[in-house]
Amino acid sequence: MLHDRSALRVIADLLRSTGHLTEQVGSALCQDVETATRNLTLLQDIDLLAQRQVAIAEILESEDMAQSLANSRLEWIASAYRPANDAGGTASAQSA
């Protein structure tokens, strides 16, 4: 486990920045009604990617990562962490 808080902050900043850029790309694509209509599901996925990146950044910056994981505003993060935490193992990534 990384114990260097400054390294975690750098990673969090990069994730947050990437999340905001991802959000900007999605917003730009939504400006064209035809594009937005044809690609609604993909645009929702872009939004989800942005949300995940920002949520992971918040976890990395938190003082208590375990608490932050368990109480994440995105349910997929909290639900992936809970079973591993309960079993004393490691969390597995889940989609959606």
Side-chain angles (χ1 to χ4, degrees), residues 42-94:
L42 291 174
L43 291 167
Q44 290 172 331
D45 289 343
I46 288 172
D47 183 56
L48 182 59
L49 287 170
Q51 289 179 39
R52 286 180 174 187
Q53 290 164 335
V54 172
I56 292 169
E58 290 172 359
I59 291 166
L60 291 175
E61 287 184 323
S62 69
E63 291 298 319
D64 185 345
M65 278 195 222
Q67 185 68 25
S68 187
L69 279 164
N71 295 324
S72 174
R73 61 189 169 99
L74 293 179
E75 180 56 33
W76 73 272
I77 294 173
S79 64
Y81 176 72
R82 263 186 235 112
N85 189 44
D86 293 344
T90 58
S92 62
Q94 295 181 358

